Amino acid sequence: MASTTATPKSAAQRSRKYMARRNKITMFLFVVPMLVVFLCMVILPSLQSLQLSFTDWDGISDTYDWVGFDNYVDMLTSGRFWNAVRNTLILGIGSAFVINLISLGMALLLDHIHHFSGFFRTIVYLPALVSAFIASTIWKYMLNYNFGAVNSMLRKAGLAGLTRDWLGDQHIVIWVLLFLICFTLGGNTTLIYLSNLQSVPQELVEAAKVDGANAWQVFRNVTWPMLAGSVTVNFTLSLIAGWAIFDQVQVLTSGGPGFVSETMAFFVYRVGFGEYRAGFGSAAAVILFVVVMISTVISNKFLRDREIQA
């Protein structure tokens, strides 16, 4: 009697296991084409770049010689490379902090706007819809020393002493780039913060106010811990985007004046394709990859720990 009742159950279990396995195989088959494309377009070129970093290939010739770690040694002893590292740190880490700070402030303001909220959200998000190339081209004309809108307005306002060659002054050009990057990359970050703010339970906010908490205490003890997930996402994405800054530098300064405003991404491009030192450029790309991976892992570890504590 027991065997007759167990058989249908075991048959049903086998059927469920079969269907689960079949669904997994079906889903995997849907993913396979994308995996093949990713393998051919990302993984294999990356491995080839690692291989070429140990050669003196110029990017054109059919032959090249193995030079071992010479490219890495030459790079790590190059002042130009360390200048690119410095600029990348300023633009990468600086833009990540500034963008998140400004975006969080804008999200808090938008969360308290009840009239024409859609209009103001559109205005804040609008710069994110414009490509970095187009936005940089517009700013390049606006910051032109002779006929740019910025210097023209300063002259008309009687502040001619404040006019600058914004993109040609080696002392300020990197800070100008930082401002422009923060201006164009904050739209998505603001919307992520705003969507998270609107999911904060209002019961907790009201309870804190009833207990006598002021606006700052409500934000610090209620709202801020609730934003832990969006802070992790936004800071990580901003940091990665900061390490890979290229378009703005290419359009606005081309790395100039001289090599003053080069970033690591632009350094890889100019050395590999502009100076026909593909092996040297591949070594720089490998170092950039390692830096991005290490910084991303460290920031994620720190931010994930903060989420758990919150």
Side-chain angles (χ1 to χ4, degrees):
M1 188 74 178
S3 60
T4 57
T5 56
T7 302
K9 288 185 179 180
S10 59
Q13 291 175 350
R14 287 197 299 271
S15 177
R16 284 195 295 268
K17 290 181 180 179
Y18 171 76
M19 292 299 298
R21 186 165 55 251
R22 181 180 176 182
N23 290 336
K24 289 181 180 179
I25 295 174
T26 302
M27 289 186 288
F28 178 74
L29 291 177
F30 277 107
V31 175
V32 165
M34 193 60 224
L35 287 177
V36 173
V37 173
F38 185 77
L39 177 67
C40 295
M41 302 300 293
V42 178
I43 302 300
L44 293 180
S46 298
L47 294 176
Q48 187 178 26
S49 180
L50 178 62
Q51 172 196 348
L52 293 174
S53 69
F54 298 103
T55 70
D56 62 353
W57 188 44
D58 60 6
I60 298 177
S61 303
D62 295 332
T63 60
Y64 50 78
D65 296 321
W66 293 91
V67 296
F69 289 93
D70 289 354
N71 288 329
Y72 293 94
V73 173
D74 293 343
M75 189 180 312
L76 296 177
T77 57
S78 169
R80 178 183 173 188
F81 169 75
W82 288 111
N83 176 72
V85 172
R86 169 185 169 272
N87 292 337
T88 304
L89 289 174
I90 292 174
L91 296 179
I93 299 178
S95 63
F97 276 102
V98 174
I99 287 173
N100 278 273
L101 185 62
I102 295 176
S103 298
L104 180 57
M106 291 300 302
L108 289 170
L109 288 175
L110 292 173
D111 191 46
H112 288 82
I113 294 177
H114 303 291
H115 300 288
F116 304 105
S117 59
F119 170 77
F120 289 110
R121 292 175 189 179
T122 302
I123 294 298
V124 171
Y125 185 70
L126 197 59
L129 298 177
V130 182
S131 70
F133 178 84
I134 299 299
S136 300
T137 302
I138 295 172
W139 276 108
K140 184 175 183 178
Y141 285 104
M142 291 180 64
L143 295 174
N144 184 277
Y145 178 76
N146 296 311
F147 57 80
V150 174
N151 282 343
S152 296
M153 288 189 293
L154 289 174
R155 293 188 187 102
K156 291 180 180 179
L159 301 173
L162 297 179
T163 58
R164 295 285 187 279
D165 186 3
W166 303 102
L167 301 177
D169 188 335
Q170 63 177 348
H171 300 294
I172 64 172
V173 62
I174 196 68
W175 305 107
V176 173
L177 287 174
L178 178 60
F179 167 78
L180 299 182
I181 290 167
C182 294
F183 177 82
T184 55
L185 296 181
N188 291 322
T189 309
T190 301
L191 288 189
I192 292 175
Y193 278 130
L194 181 60
S195 63
N196 199 165
L197 282 171
Q198 293 180 340
S199 65
V200 174
Q202 291 302 307
E203 296 81 4
L204 297 178
V205 176
E206 296 299 329
K209 291 180 179 179
V210 170
D211 289 339
N214 56 33
W216 166 248
Q217 291 172 329
V218 170
F219 173 78
R220 183 173 180 273
N221 297 303
V222 179
T223 306
W224 178 244
M226 293 288 182
L227 295 177
S230 58
V231 170
T232 300
V233 172
N234 281 333
F235 191 84
T236 302
L237 293 178
S238 300
L239 190 62
I240 294 174
W243 291 142
I245 289 171
F246 174 83
D247 296 357
Q248 295 88 342
V249 177
Q250 169 68 15
V251 174
L252 291 167
T253 66
S254 296
F259 304 119
V260 171
S261 62
E262 283 187 337
T263 60
M264 289 183 68
F266 188 81
F267 176 79
V268 171
Y269 164 77
R270 175 175 274 186
V271 169
F273 297 98
E275 300 175 8
Y276 301 103
R277 292 192 290 166
F280 192 81
S282 296
V286 171
I287 292 178
L288 177 59
F289 172 78
V290 172
V291 170
V292 172
M293 288 297 295
I294 292 176
S295 62
T296 302
V297 170
I298 293 175
S299 63
N300 260 294
K301 177 67 168 59
F302 173 78
L303 294 171
R304 292 296 182 188
D305 289 344
R306 177 186 170 274
E307 286 185 39
I308 295 173
Q309 293 173 3

PDB file of all heavy atoms in Angstrom, residues 69-83 85 267 277 280 287:
ATOM      1  N   PHE A  69      58.780  42.921 -19.717  1.00  0.00           N
ATOM      2  CA  PHE A  69      58.139  43.941 -18.888  1.00  0.00           C
ATOM      3  C   PHE A  69      58.685  45.346 -19.167  1.00  0.00           C
ATOM      4  O   PHE A  69      58.455  46.259 -18.370  1.00  0.00           O
ATOM      5  CB  PHE A  69      58.331  43.607 -17.408  1.00  0.00           C
ATOM      6  CG  PHE A  69      57.524  42.430 -16.942  1.00  0.00           C
ATOM      7  CD1 PHE A  69      58.072  41.153 -16.942  1.00  0.00           C
ATOM      8  CD2 PHE A  69      56.205  42.591 -16.527  1.00  0.00           C
ATOM      9  CE1 PHE A  69      57.328  40.060 -16.524  1.00  0.00           C
ATOM     10  CE2 PHE A  69      55.453  41.507 -16.098  1.00  0.00           C
ATOM     11  CZ  PHE A  69      56.012  40.239 -16.097  1.00  0.00           C
ATOM     12  N   ASP A  70      59.383  45.519 -20.292  1.00  0.00           N
ATOM     13  CA  ASP A  70      59.978  46.828 -20.595  1.00  0.00           C
ATOM     14  C   ASP A  70      58.923  47.923 -20.691  1.00  0.00           C
ATOM     15  O   ASP A  70      59.145  49.058 -20.244  1.00  0.00           O
ATOM     16  CB  ASP A  70      60.780  46.767 -21.900  1.00  0.00           C
ATOM     17  CG  ASP A  70      62.068  45.971 -21.741  1.00  0.00           C
ATOM     18  OD1 ASP A  70      62.375  45.576 -20.596  1.00  0.00           O
ATOM     19  OD2 ASP A  70      62.754  45.737 -22.752  1.00  0.00           O
ATOM     20  N   ASN A  71      57.776  47.610 -21.302  1.00  0.00           N
ATOM     21  CA  ASN A  71      56.713  48.614 -21.426  1.00  0.00           C
ATOM     22  C   ASN A  71      56.225  49.078 -20.056  1.00  0.00           C
ATOM     23  O   ASN A  71      56.003  50.272 -19.834  1.00  0.00           O
ATOM     24  CB  ASN A  71      55.536  48.048 -22.223  1.00  0.00           C
ATOM     25  CG  ASN A  71      55.844  47.908 -23.700  1.00  0.00           C
ATOM     26  OD1 ASN A  71      56.626  48.687 -24.256  1.00  0.00           O
ATOM     27  ND2 ASN A  71      55.254  46.916 -24.338  1.00  0.00           N
ATOM     28  N   TYR A  72      56.066  48.147 -19.141  1.00  0.00           N
ATOM     29  CA  TYR A  72      55.589  48.493 -17.798  1.00  0.00           C
ATOM     30  C   TYR A  72      56.639  49.298 -17.027  1.00  0.00           C
ATOM     31  O   TYR A  72      56.304  50.255 -16.328  1.00  0.00           O
ATOM     32  CB  TYR A  72      55.228  47.215 -17.028  1.00  0.00           C
ATOM     33  CG  TYR A  72      54.037  46.487 -17.589  1.00  0.00           C
ATOM     34  CD1 TYR A  72      54.187  45.451 -18.505  1.00  0.00           C
ATOM     35  CD2 TYR A  72      52.744  46.846 -17.216  1.00  0.00           C
ATOM     36  CE1 TYR A  72      53.093  44.780 -19.030  1.00  0.00           C
ATOM     37  CE2 TYR A  72      51.638  46.172 -17.728  1.00  0.00           C
ATOM     38  CZ  TYR A  72      51.824  45.151 -18.632  1.00  0.00           C
ATOM     39  OH  TYR A  72      50.725  44.501 -19.148  1.00  0.00           O
ATOM     40  N   VAL A  73      57.905  48.920 -17.181  1.00  0.00           N
ATOM     41  CA  VAL A  73      58.969  49.662 -16.502  1.00  0.00           C
ATOM     42  C   VAL A  73      59.060  51.084 -17.041  1.00  0.00           C
ATOM     43  O   VAL A  73      59.154  52.057 -16.273  1.00  0.00           O
ATOM     44  CB  VAL A  73      60.315  48.927 -16.668  1.00  0.00           C
ATOM     45  CG1 VAL A  73      61.460  49.774 -16.105  1.00  0.00           C
ATOM     46  CG2 VAL A  73      60.277  47.569 -15.987  1.00  0.00           C
ATOM     47  N   ASP A  74      59.028  51.226 -18.372  1.00  0.00           N
ATOM     48  CA  ASP A  74      59.093  52.559 -18.974  1.00  0.00           C
ATOM     49  C   ASP A  74      57.911  53.418 -18.549  1.00  0.00           C
ATOM     50  O   ASP A  74      58.056  54.630 -18.322  1.00  0.00           O
ATOM     51  CB  ASP A  74      59.120  52.447 -20.504  1.00  0.00           C
ATOM     52  CG  ASP A  74      60.406  51.812 -21.007  1.00  0.00           C
ATOM     53  OD1 ASP A  74      61.387  51.766 -20.232  1.00  0.00           O
ATOM     54  OD2 ASP A  74      60.419  51.349 -22.169  1.00  0.00           O
ATOM     55  N   MET A  75      56.750  52.802 -18.436  1.00  0.00           N
ATOM     56  CA  MET A  75      55.552  53.557 -18.072  1.00  0.00           C
ATOM     57  C   MET A  75      55.608  54.031 -16.621  1.00  0.00           C
ATOM     58  O   MET A  75      55.304  55.188 -16.321  1.00  0.00           O
ATOM     59  CB  MET A  75      54.316  52.680 -18.292  1.00  0.00           C
ATOM     60  CG  MET A  75      52.998  53.411 -18.148  1.00  0.00           C
ATOM     61  SD  MET A  75      51.646  52.291 -18.439  1.00  0.00           S
ATOM     62  CE  MET A  75      52.164  51.487 -19.934  1.00  0.00           C
ATOM     63  N   LEU A  76      56.005  53.131 -15.739  1.00  0.00           N
ATOM     64  CA  LEU A  76      56.022  53.471 -14.318  1.00  0.00           C
ATOM     65  C   LEU A  76      57.122  54.470 -13.971  1.00  0.00           C
ATOM     66  O   LEU A  76      57.108  55.045 -12.876  1.00  0.00           O
ATOM     67  CB  LEU A  76      56.177  52.205 -13.473  1.00  0.00           C
ATOM     68  CG  LEU A  76      55.009  51.209 -13.571  1.00  0.00           C
ATOM     69  CD1 LEU A  76      55.300  49.957 -12.763  1.00  0.00           C
ATOM     70  CD2 LEU A  76      53.705  51.847 -13.097  1.00  0.00           C
ATOM     71  N   THR A  77      58.053  54.688 -14.884  1.00  0.00           N
ATOM     72  CA  THR A  77      59.091  55.697 -14.672  1.00  0.00           C
ATOM     73  C   THR A  77      58.862  56.943 -15.523  1.00  0.00           C
ATOM     74  O   THR A  77      59.745  57.788 -15.617  1.00  0.00           O
ATOM     75  CB  THR A  77      60.478  55.096 -15.000  1.00  0.00           C
ATOM     76  OG1 THR A  77      60.483  54.599 -16.349  1.00  0.00           O
ATOM     77  CG2 THR A  77      60.817  53.978 -14.033  1.00  0.00           C
ATOM     78  N   SER A  78      57.678  57.039 -16.112  1.00  0.00           N
ATOM     79  CA  SER A  78      57.351  58.176 -16.985  1.00  0.00           C
ATOM     80  C   SER A  78      56.532  59.217 -16.233  1.00  0.00           C
ATOM     81  O   SER A  78      55.496  58.896 -15.643  1.00  0.00           O
ATOM     82  CB  SER A  78      56.566  57.683 -18.208  1.00  0.00           C
ATOM     83  OG  SER A  78      56.014  58.753 -18.931  1.00  0.00           O
ATOM     84  N   GLY A  79      56.996  60.465 -16.238  1.00  0.00           N
ATOM     85  CA  GLY A  79      56.240  61.547 -15.601  1.00  0.00           C
ATOM     86  C   GLY A  79      54.911  61.792 -16.281  1.00  0.00           C
ATOM     87  O   GLY A  79      53.924  62.152 -15.627  1.00  0.00           O
ATOM     88  N   ARG A  80      54.874  61.581 -17.575  1.00  0.00           N
ATOM     89  CA  ARG A  80      53.627  61.774 -18.321  1.00  0.00           C
ATOM     90  C   ARG A  80      52.566  60.792 -17.863  1.00  0.00           C
ATOM     91  O   ARG A  80      51.381  61.147 -17.718  1.00  0.00           O
ATOM     92  CB  ARG A  80      53.904  61.606 -19.816  1.00  0.00           C
ATOM     93  CG  ARG A  80      52.680  61.732 -20.707  1.00  0.00           C
ATOM     94  CD  ARG A  80      53.053  61.477 -22.148  1.00  0.00           C
ATOM     95  NE  ARG A  80      51.897  61.418 -23.011  1.00  0.00           N
ATOM     96  CZ  ARG A  80      51.930  61.057 -24.298  1.00  0.00           C
ATOM     97  NH1 ARG A  80      53.095  60.748 -24.860  1.00  0.00           N
ATOM     98  NH2 ARG A  80      50.822  61.009 -25.007  1.00  0.00           N
ATOM     99  N   PHE A  81      52.956  59.541 -17.621  1.00  0.00           N
ATOM    100  CA  PHE A  81      52.004  58.546 -17.149  1.00  0.00           C
ATOM    101  C   PHE A  81      51.464  58.919 -15.775  1.00  0.00           C
ATOM    102  O   PHE A  81      50.263  58.843 -15.524  1.00  0.00           O
ATOM    103  CB  PHE A  81      52.678  57.165 -17.095  1.00  0.00           C
ATOM    104  CG  PHE A  81      51.861  56.129 -16.385  1.00  0.00           C
ATOM    105  CD1 PHE A  81      50.755  55.558 -16.984  1.00  0.00           C
ATOM    106  CD2 PHE A  81      52.193  55.729 -15.092  1.00  0.00           C
ATOM    107  CE1 PHE A  81      49.986  54.600 -16.323  1.00  0.00           C
ATOM    108  CE2 PHE A  81      51.442  54.776 -14.435  1.00  0.00           C
ATOM    109  CZ  PHE A  81      50.337  54.211 -15.047  1.00  0.00           C
ATOM    110  N   TRP A  82      52.327  59.326 -14.853  1.00  0.00           N
ATOM    111  CA  TRP A  82      51.870  59.673 -13.510  1.00  0.00           C
ATOM    112  C   TRP A  82      51.027  60.933 -13.515  1.00  0.00           C
ATOM    113  O   TRP A  82      50.145  61.094 -12.665  1.00  0.00           O
ATOM    114  CB  TRP A  82      53.070  59.821 -12.579  1.00  0.00           C
ATOM    115  CG  TRP A  82      53.691  58.501 -12.255  1.00  0.00           C
ATOM    116  CD1 TRP A  82      54.913  58.050 -12.662  1.00  0.00           C
ATOM    117  CD2 TRP A  82      53.104  57.444 -11.501  1.00  0.00           C
ATOM    118  NE1 TRP A  82      55.125  56.771 -12.206  1.00  0.00           N
ATOM    119  CE2 TRP A  82      54.041  56.375 -11.480  1.00  0.00           C
ATOM    120  CE3 TRP A  82      51.893  57.283 -10.838  1.00  0.00           C
ATOM    121  CZ2 TRP A  82      53.781  55.174 -10.817  1.00  0.00           C
ATOM    122  CZ3 TRP A  82      51.641  56.088 -10.183  1.00  0.00           C
ATOM    123  CH2 TRP A  82      52.562  55.057 -10.178  1.00  0.00           C
ATOM    124  N   ASN A  83      51.266  61.819 -14.477  1.00  0.00           N
ATOM    125  CA  ASN A  83      50.377  62.979 -14.615  1.00  0.00           C
ATOM    126  C   ASN A  83      48.983  62.526 -15.032  1.00  0.00           C
ATOM    127  O   ASN A  83      47.976  63.043 -14.530  1.00  0.00           O
ATOM    128  CB  ASN A  83      50.944  63.943 -15.660  1.00  0.00           C
ATOM    129  CG  ASN A  83      50.033  65.128 -15.922  1.00  0.00           C
ATOM    130  OD1 ASN A  83      49.888  66.031 -15.108  1.00  0.00           O
ATOM    131  ND2 ASN A  83      49.385  65.124 -17.085  1.00  0.00           N
ATOM    132  N   VAL A  85      47.709  59.600 -14.352  1.00  0.00           N
ATOM    133  CA  VAL A  85      47.144  58.950 -13.169  1.00  0.00           C
ATOM    134  C   VAL A  85      46.572  59.998 -12.220  1.00  0.00           C
ATOM    135  O   VAL A  85      45.458  59.841 -11.683  1.00  0.00           O
ATOM    136  CB  VAL A  85      48.220  58.111 -12.456  1.00  0.00           C
ATOM    137  CG1 VAL A  85      47.694  57.601 -11.111  1.00  0.00           C
ATOM    138  CG2 VAL A  85      48.648  56.942 -13.327  1.00  0.00           C
ATOM    139  N   PHE A 267      45.309  58.673 -22.432  1.00  0.00           N
ATOM    140  CA  PHE A 267      46.711  58.292 -22.578  1.00  0.00           C
ATOM    141  C   PHE A 267      46.833  56.994 -23.373  1.00  0.00           C
ATOM    142  O   PHE A 267      47.692  56.869 -24.263  1.00  0.00           O
ATOM    143  CB  PHE A 267      47.338  58.146 -21.190  1.00  0.00           C
ATOM    144  CG  PHE A 267      48.758  57.674 -21.187  1.00  0.00           C
ATOM    145  CD1 PHE A 267      49.796  58.548 -21.454  1.00  0.00           C
ATOM    146  CD2 PHE A 267      49.061  56.346 -20.912  1.00  0.00           C
ATOM    147  CE1 PHE A 267      51.112  58.115 -21.443  1.00  0.00           C
ATOM    148  CE2 PHE A 267      50.371  55.904 -20.890  1.00  0.00           C
ATOM    149  CZ  PHE A 267      51.401  56.794 -21.162  1.00  0.00           C
ATOM    150  N   ARG A 277      52.352  53.242 -30.821  1.00  0.00           N
ATOM    151  CA  ARG A 277      53.025  52.382 -29.845  1.00  0.00           C
ATOM    152  C   ARG A 277      51.953  51.505 -29.205  1.00  0.00           C
ATOM    153  O   ARG A 277      51.623  51.664 -28.033  1.00  0.00           O
ATOM    154  CB  ARG A 277      53.758  53.220 -28.806  1.00  0.00           C
ATOM    155  CG  ARG A 277      54.949  53.975 -29.346  1.00  0.00           C
ATOM    156  CD  ARG A 277      55.796  54.537 -28.208  1.00  0.00           C
ATOM    157  NE  ARG A 277      55.110  55.616 -27.523  1.00  0.00           N
ATOM    158  CZ  ARG A 277      55.490  56.099 -26.344  1.00  0.00           C
ATOM    159  NH1 ARG A 277      56.522  55.562 -25.712  1.00  0.00           N
ATOM    160  NH2 ARG A 277      54.834  57.097 -25.790  1.00  0.00           N
ATOM    161  N   PHE A 280      52.919  49.539 -26.011  1.00  0.00           N
ATOM    162  CA  PHE A 280      52.982  50.407 -24.844  1.00  0.00           C
ATOM    163  C   PHE A 280      51.576  50.801 -24.401  1.00  0.00           C
ATOM    164  O   PHE A 280      51.262  50.811 -23.205  1.00  0.00           O
ATOM    165  CB  PHE A 280      53.799  51.658 -25.192  1.00  0.00           C
ATOM    166  CG  PHE A 280      54.178  52.490 -24.006  1.00  0.00           C
ATOM    167  CD1 PHE A 280      55.264  52.163 -23.219  1.00  0.00           C
ATOM    168  CD2 PHE A 280      53.444  53.621 -23.677  1.00  0.00           C
ATOM    169  CE1 PHE A 280      55.637  52.927 -22.128  1.00  0.00           C
ATOM    170  CE2 PHE A 280      53.795  54.399 -22.586  1.00  0.00           C
ATOM    171  CZ  PHE A 280      54.895  54.046 -21.803  1.00  0.00           C
ATOM    172  N   ILE A 287      47.014  48.246 -17.046  1.00  0.00           N
ATOM    173  CA  ILE A 287      47.112  48.926 -15.754  1.00  0.00           C
ATOM    174  C   ILE A 287      45.795  49.622 -15.424  1.00  0.00           C
ATOM    175  O   ILE A 287      45.322  49.578 -14.277  1.00  0.00           O
ATOM    176  CB  ILE A 287      48.275  49.940 -15.768  1.00  0.00           C
ATOM    177  CG1 ILE A 287      49.608  49.189 -15.836  1.00  0.00           C
ATOM    178  CG2 ILE A 287      48.236  50.829 -14.519  1.00  0.00           C
ATOM    179  CD1 ILE A 287      50.809  50.091 -15.896  1.00  0.00           C
TER     180      ILE A 287
END
